[in-house]
């Protein structure tokens, strides 16, 4: 660690101890603080109070999800310091980023952050964002979680916790929500014992639709294609079903069964394209390819990407999307069986089976201007990209044995087996110009990219916690040994190829309770993201065919406080991430002009920063909260981006290095600053009716679109609000998201190849107003 990092952590530690001293004084004046902060999470596979865990975790319960108008992972990220989420133009490439550790390739099978639903791994980005209908909780666990969650919890994990389970109580709820631009949400759930204390059933349903909030100025926009983009842009239709049962045949044994199904039919989000070939760029003169024969053309776009499209050759203003374009036609389903046995007063066993499967198809128009035909290879038509296209099928088994001693000693050992199949297809090409035939399959004659990956993973893992000094000091160690094998079959005549690897991922922490409500901790953890096989169809050398895992060591110091009888919390974490074997795209030896890039583990990066979260009840009924993250994530000095060099984008060398050097540059798609401030106020109107309100303001600083740090996504601040009335078992509220109708670019693809270079910005949602009616029983 360099001097700056050491100073950062030392300063944070000093601040933490200072706050701890003050908080201790408050705690001594107010007894019972711990009883008022009972946010329970399962981040470490057991139920624990959030404030007792030596790690940075942000959690939202069902009430907060509704009051903060959280309906998708992008909303979660706005309220979580250190988390960024992007799903790009069609929603198919869900990419969570924790603490600035961005994924270089967003289409990869492995991600830097793992996503789970009730403990079951979701393997593909197009299935990540399950929404918030009928959820009990969303947990964001920061820092490497490979010890307990596996290889792809490289920088953290996101846990969805679904509807509650009870063998004794009948509970039911329903929600109706309407909003402008055709927004309609219906959801409900019911849980009831069929045989009290023995058998219960539960059912949860959800449906959501939206017409979109940007006008499509294509002349055929109202043709009504299905699938396709009709009228406005960004519409969707989604549904979810969960059916479950719980059985307790004897007091010491509980069996839970759950089935989940999610369907999404979505249009593309509002997007446009800036292209080198169309002369849209404004910097980096020159370049060997010179914009296909124009020797002094600009090779890059510098500065903020516009939030309003730049008209193409047809001169049509605004968004011009081919009506055959649609974001996703996807469906995913899961089966979960959990068996919990209390063997003795101190020993328990848990078996978790999970099955997940899904499929997806998308058709994305990729013309610079959909009203001007594209000519390529002597053919004329509209250009389309079919990606993501494919399916997955995974089965997993996890068995854990746990010991909880009277003296606070905790021990757990477990085993894990997972077998998965993933088919990834995709291609690009021309379709008939201005035709109105829906695109439901990859066109005949197109040659798709094809990669069929079979994964076999086995692991053993464990955790032990030993309390000392009257249970005020706790030493914890976690670890996981993983053995995995991947077999890839593609269109290459030499496939299949087999990749195998084994690795150990430890985590250790020491925490000290200054008081029952003030915790100081330090931790060190290793994260691993799986290596793999390059599925390009070209001939590769043996050492080019495979790439190694990403690895990181993360060092963290933190403080968790509750004070004034539970009226306030203040949590702080400072971290340093040393990231090695960063998977980058490079050109294979002997690559031709049209050869695709391959992945190699040759880079390095680091990230350091501070995260702060707090809540405080100012007076009865008025609660304020705030969060802040400062993250400095940069590439190591010797890192080269081969795709930049190969595409010769740095031209005369005035805006970036002609040799592709990106050392010292910020990691793309990461903001140095994220912040959120909120306030809620509740008060009684009558004996039976309360008034409630909430206001949330969240922002982030600029992001760089690519590793060369020339094009940026502007900073943004968004405001959400809600107010309403509630009775004993009902509520009625009105709400608004993006209340000031901020126009902003939410994310952008950067496509860099020798023969074309494009930016594809996606514009964030406009202001949306609505009303919600709920019933509970």
């Amino acid at each position: 660690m360099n001097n700056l990092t050491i100073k950062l952590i030392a300063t944070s530690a000093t601040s933490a101890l200072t706050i701890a001293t003050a908080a201790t004084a408050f705690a001594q004046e107010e007894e019972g603080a711990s009883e008022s902060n009972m946010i329970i999470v399962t981040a470490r596979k057991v139920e624990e109070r959030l404030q007792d865990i030596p790690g940075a975790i942000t959690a939202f319960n069902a009430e907060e999800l509704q009051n903060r108008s959280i309906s998708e992972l992008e909303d979660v990220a706005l309220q979580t310091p250190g988390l960024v989420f992007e799903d790009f133009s069609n929603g198919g490439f869900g990419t969570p980023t924790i603490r600035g550790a961005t994924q270089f390739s967003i289409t990869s099978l492995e991600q830097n952050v793992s996503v789970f639903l009730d403990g079951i791994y979701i393997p593909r980005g197009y299935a990540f964002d399950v929404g918030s209908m009928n959820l009990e909780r969303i947990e964001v666990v920061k820092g490497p979680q490979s010890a307990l969650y596996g290889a792809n919890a490289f920088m953290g994990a996101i846990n969805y916790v679904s509807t509650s389970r009870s063998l004794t109580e009948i509970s039911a709820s329903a929600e109706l929500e309407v909003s402008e631009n055709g927004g309609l949400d219906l959801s409900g759930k019911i849980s009831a014992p069929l045989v009290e204390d023995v058998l219960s059933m539960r059912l949860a349903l959800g449906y959501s639709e939206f017409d979109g909030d940007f006008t499509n100025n294509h002349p055929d926009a109202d043709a009504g294609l299905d699938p396709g983009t009709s009228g406005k842009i960004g519409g969707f239709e989604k549904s979810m079903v969960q059916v479950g049962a719980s059985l307790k045949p004897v007091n010491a044994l509980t069996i839970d069964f759950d089935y989940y199904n999610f369907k999404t039919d979505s249009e593309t989000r509002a997007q446009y394209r800036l292209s080198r070939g169309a002369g849209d760029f404004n910097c980096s003169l020159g370049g060997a390819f010179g914009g296909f024969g124009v020797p002094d053309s600009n090779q890059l776009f510098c500065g903020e990407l516009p939030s309003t499209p730049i008209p193409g050759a047809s001169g049509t203003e605004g968004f011009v999307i081919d009506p055959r374009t649609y974001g996703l036609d996807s469906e995913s389903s899961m089966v979960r069986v959990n068996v919990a046995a209390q063997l003795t007063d101190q020993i328990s066993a848990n078996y978790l089976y999970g099955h997940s499967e899904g499929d997806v198809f998308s058709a994305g128009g990729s013309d610079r201007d959909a009203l001007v035909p594209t000519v390529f290879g002597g053919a004329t038509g509209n250009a389309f990209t079919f990606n993501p296209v494919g399916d997955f099928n995974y089965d997993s088994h996890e068995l854990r044995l746990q010991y909880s001693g009277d003296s606070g000693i905790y021990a757990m050992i477990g085993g894990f087996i997972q077998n998965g199949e993933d088919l990834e297809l995709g291609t690009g090409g021309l379709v008939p110009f201005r035709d109105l035939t829906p695109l439901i399959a990859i066109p005949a004659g197109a040659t798709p990219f094809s990669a069929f990956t079979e994964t076999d993973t086995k692991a053993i893992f464990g955790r032990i916690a030993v309390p000392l000094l009257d249970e005020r000091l706790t030493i914890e160690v976690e670890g996981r040994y993983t053995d995995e094998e991947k077999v890839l079959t593609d269109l290459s005549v030499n496939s299949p190829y087999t990749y195998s690897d084994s690795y150990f991922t430890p985590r250790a922490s020491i925490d000290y309770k200054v008081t029952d409500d003030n915790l100081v901790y330090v931790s060190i953890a290793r994260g691993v993201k799986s290596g793999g096989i390059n599925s390009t169809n070209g001939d590769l050398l043996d050492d080019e065919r495979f790439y190694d895992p990403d690895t990181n060591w993360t060092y963290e110091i933190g403080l968790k406080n509750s004070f004034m009888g539970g009226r306030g919390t203040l949590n702080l974490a400072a971290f340093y991430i040393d990231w090695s074997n960063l998977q980058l795209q490079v050109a294979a030896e002997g690559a031709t002009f049209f050869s695709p890039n391959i992945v190699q583990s040759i880079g390095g990066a680091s990230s350091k920063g501070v995260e702060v979260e707090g809540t405080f009840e100012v007076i009865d009924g008025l609660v304020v909260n705030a969060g802040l993250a400062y993250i400095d994530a940069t590439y190591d000095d010797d890192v080269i981006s081969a795709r930049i060099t190969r595409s010769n984008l740095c031209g005369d060398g005035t805006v970036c290095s002609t040799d592709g050097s990106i050392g010292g540059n910020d990691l793309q798609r990461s903001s140095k600053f994220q912040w959120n401030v909120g306030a809620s106020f509740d008060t009684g109107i009558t004996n039976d009716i309360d008034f409630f309100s909430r206001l949330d303001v969240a922002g982030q600083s600029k992001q760089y679109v690519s590793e060369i740090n020339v094009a940026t996504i502007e900073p943004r601040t968004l405001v959400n609000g809600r107010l309403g009335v509630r009775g004993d078992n009902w509520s009625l509220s009105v709400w608004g998201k993006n209340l000031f109708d901020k126009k902003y670019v939410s994310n952008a693809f950067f496509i860099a190849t020798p023969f074309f270079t494009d930016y594809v910005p996606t514009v964030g949602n406009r202001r949306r107003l609505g009303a919600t009616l709920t019933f509970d029983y």
Side-chain angles (χ1 to χ4, degrees):
M1 292 186 286
N2 57 30
N3 289 335
L4 176 61
T5 305
I6 294 172
K7 290 179 181 178
L8 174 66
I9 292 179
T11 302
S12 301
T14 302
S15 302
L17 292 175
T18 301
I19 298 171
T21 303
T24 301
F26 281 123
Q28 289 172 344
E29 295 174 4
E30 301 280 353
E31 295 182 358
S34 60
E35 298 303 320
S36 302
N37 288 282
M38 294 298 290
I39 301 176
I40 303 299
V41 297
T42 53
R44 296 195 295 182
K45 298 184 181 290
V46 293
E47 290 190 348
E48 298 176 279
R49 196 175 73 117
L50 177 63
Q51 292 297 95
D52 292 335
I53 299 176
I57 301 171
T58 299
F60 304 94
N61 60 27
E63 182 179 2
E64 288 179 310
L65 291 174
Q66 182 184 84
N67 290 345
R68 299 193 189 201
S69 300
I70 293 174
S71 59
E72 56 185 1
L73 271 179
E74 187 174 343
D75 298 326
V76 175
L78 283 173
Q79 301 287 325
T80 305
L83 172 67
V84 172
F85 178 77
E86 306 156 308
D87 60 7
F88 294 93
S89 59
N90 66 359
F93 301 104
T95 309
T97 297
I98 289 178
R99 292 177 170 176
T102 53
Q103 182 103 357
F104 198 90
S105 173
I106 62 173
T107 62
S108 297
L109 175 59
E110 283 79 22
Q111 295 285 326
N112 286 356
V113 177
S114 287
V115 180
F116 298 85
L117 173 59
D118 288 334
I120 308 301
Y121 175 60
I122 302 176
R124 271 294 184 179
Y126 54 79
F128 279 176
D129 200 351
V130 304
S132 63
M133 290 185 292
N134 297 312
L135 289 182
E136 291 295 316
R137 190 169 64 252
I138 297 178
E139 303 170 357
V140 180
V141 190
K142 304 168 195 173
Q145 300 299 319
S146 296
L148 294 183
Y149 287 97
N152 297 321
F154 177 67
M155 291 292 180
I158 296 173
N159 296 323
Y160 295 108
V161 181
S162 72
T163 186
S164 60
R165 299 161 170 81
S166 174
L167 288 164
T168 59
E169 296 181 356
I170 298 175
S171 63
S173 65
E175 180 176 303
L176 167 65
E177 187 169 277
V178 293
S179 61
E180 56 187 331
N181 295 319
L184 173 65
D185 291 76
L186 295 167
S187 64
K189 59 184 178 180
I190 183 170
S191 175
L194 303 183
V195 180
E196 190 169 354
D197 293 325
V198 177
L199 176 65
S200 70
M201 298 289 292
R202 54 189 171 273
L203 172 67
L205 302 172
Y207 175 82
S208 179
E209 67 178 23
F210 180 56
D211 290 343
D213 51 8
F214 284 91
T215 300
N216 184 5
N217 289 330
H218 193 287
D220 302 324
D222 294 316
L225 300 187
D226 186 18
T229 295
S230 181
K232 292 187 176 181
I233 307 166
F236 56 78
E237 185 175 345
K238 302 178 181 180
S239 65
M240 67 82 64
V241 175
Q242 180 188 358
V243 180
S246 292
L247 174 66
K248 193 172 185 179
V250 295
N251 285 336
L253 181 66
T254 303
I255 303 171
D256 290 324
F257 167 83
D258 290 284
Y259 168 79
Y260 319 77
N261 181 271
F262 301 92
K263 293 182 180 180
T264 297
D265 182 3
S266 68
E267 299 176 348
T268 185
R269 298 209 178 192
Q271 66 172 64
Y272 67 94
R273 186 173 293 257
L274 299 175
S275 176
R276 177 173 64 173
D280 295 325
F281 294 173
N282 60 7
C283 65
S284 191
L285 282 172
F289 301 103
F292 291 101
V294 183
D296 293 324
S297 64
N298 289 313
Q299 307 299 305
L300 292 168
F301 186 92
C302 293
E304 287 185 359
L305 294 174
S307 59
T308 302
I310 297 174
S314 71
T316 307
E317 300 283 343
F319 296 97
V320 184
I321 305 295
D322 191 305
R324 291 168 288 182
T325 299
Y326 59 97
L328 291 179
D329 181 1
S330 69
E331 181 175 3
S332 60
S333 59
M334 300 174 63
V335 174
R336 174 184 181 270
V337 179
N338 187 76
V339 181
Q342 191 68 41
L343 305 180
T344 71
D345 290 342
Q346 297 178 322
I347 300 175
S348 62
N350 188 273
Y351 166 73
L352 177 65
Y353 166 75
H355 171 79
S356 61
E357 60 183 64
D359 60 74
V360 65
F361 188 86
S362 65
S366 55
D367 291 305
R368 170 62 182 89
D369 187 332
L371 298 178
V372 177
T374 296
V375 180
F376 187 80
T380 300
N382 286 116
F384 265 77
T385 300
F386 299 89
N387 194 23
V389 178
D391 56 63
F392 64 82
N393 192 311
Y394 277 67
D395 287 286
S396 64
H397 306 266
E398 181 179 278
L399 179 64
R400 304 192 309 272
L401 188 66
Q402 301 173 116
Y403 169 82
S404 297
D406 294 334
S407 59
I409 294 177
Y410 174 85
M412 181 262 286
I413 187 168
F416 177 80
I417 297 174
Q418 179 176 271
N419 304 104
E421 296 178 347
D422 181 89
L423 175 64
E424 181 185 8
L425 298 172
T427 191
L430 299 181
V431 300
F433 180 65
R434 294 286 301 272
D435 188 78
L436 293 179
T437 303
L439 299 170
I440 59 174
I442 293 177
T447 301
F449 162 88
S450 172
F452 180 69
T453 305
E454 299 172 272
T455 304
D456 183 7
T457 303
K458 300 180 180 66
I460 57 173
F461 59 92
R463 173 182 160 221
I464 184 168
V466 180
L468 304 169
L469 303 180
D470 294 327
E471 300 186 26
R472 292 208 172 274
L473 178 69
T474 302
I475 300 173
E476 298 191 33
V477 178
E478 302 170 4
R480 188 184 195 97
Y481 177 80
T482 302
D483 182 88
E484 67 175 358
E485 179 180 275
K486 296 179 182 178
V487 178
L488 175 91
T489 304
D490 63 9
L491 297 182
S492 171
V493 296
N494 296 318
S495 69
Y497 303 97
T498 300
Y499 167 90
S500 59
D501 196 11
S502 300
Y503 40 83
F504 179 64
T505 48
R507 185 181 189 276
S509 67
I510 300 175
D511 64 79
Y512 180 72
K513 288 186 176 181
V514 181
T515 74
D516 288 342
D517 300 304
N518 306 106
L519 180 77
V520 180
Y521 70 89
V522 294
S523 68
I524 178 173
R526 184 176 189 244
V528 170
K529 185 180 74 176
S530 179
I533 309 164
N534 285 305
S535 54
T536 176
N537 298 329
D539 292 329
L540 296 177
L541 301 176
D542 289 344
D543 59 353
E544 293 177 324
R545 178 62 64 182
F546 305 96
Y547 55 92
D548 295 328
D550 273 4
T551 60
N552 82 76
W553 283 98
T554 295
Y555 310 88
E556 183 173 325
I557 182 170
L559 173 69
K560 291 191 167 183
N561 296 290
S562 300
F563 52 89
M564 294 186 68
R567 293 182 64 172
T569 62
L570 181 62
N571 298 338
L572 180 147
F575 61 87
Y576 175 79
I577 302 171
D578 184 8
W579 186 359
S580 57
N581 292 332
L582 177 63
Q583 296 168 0
L584 299 174
Q585 294 179 334
V586 304
E589 185 174 320
T592 66
F593 185 77
F594 291 101
S595 296
N597 290 328
I598 62 173
V599 175
Q600 293 287 274
S601 301
I602 57 174
S606 64
S607 179
K608 50 186 175 289
V610 177
E611 298 159 345
V612 183
E613 288 187 283
T615 63
F616 183 64
E617 186 177 10
V618 181
I619 57 174
D620 288 345
L622 176 60
V623 179
V624 297
N625 66 276
L628 172 68
Y630 167 76
I631 298 171
D632 183 17
T634 58
Y635 288 102
D636 290 350
D637 290 340
D638 57 350
V639 178
I640 301 293
S641 176
R643 69 171 181 164
I644 302 301
T645 310
R646 190 175 178 214
S647 304
N648 206 23
L649 298 180
C650 293
D652 56 12
T654 57
V655 299
C656 55
S657 176
T658 56
D659 66 358
S661 175
I662 56 173
N665 286 1
D666 289 348
L667 270 68
Q668 64 272 31
R669 308 193 307 274
S670 173
S671 296
K672 278 191 182 295
F673 289 96
Q674 290 176 263
W675 58 274
N676 65 277
V677 178
S680 63
F681 179 67
D682 292 47
T683 188
I685 299 176
T686 70
N687 290 336
D688 299 319
I689 298 176
D690 292 339
F691 168 82
F692 65 92
S693 62
R694 181 169 183 90
L695 184 69
D696 287 291
V697 185
Q700 63 185 44
S701 60
K702 73 176 182 181
Q703 297 179 358
Y704 288 111
V705 176
S706 75
E707 66 272 28
I708 50 177
N709 289 186
V710 295
T712 62
I713 293 173
E714 65 177 323
R716 64 176 178 262
T717 300
L718 303 177
V719 180
N720 297 340
R722 182 182 294 266
L723 58 88
V725 291
R726 67 165 63 95
D728 290 339
N729 61 352
W730 61 272
S731 71
L732 176 64
S733 61
V734 293
W735 52 267
K737 300 179 72 170
N738 190 6
L739 281 171
F740 292 96
D741 202 19
K742 170 71 174 177
K743 296 180 181 178
Y744 63 97
V745 173
S746 60
N747 53 69
F749 281 113
F750 175 62
I751 306 168
T753 71
F755 38 97
F756 71 90
T757 300
D758 287 0
Y759 297 86
V760 187
T762 299
V763 178
N765 291 328
R766 300 289 299 272
R767 177 173 53 211
R768 189 175 176 188
L769 305 176
T772 304
L773 176 64
T774 69
F775 291 96
D776 296 288
Y777 173 78

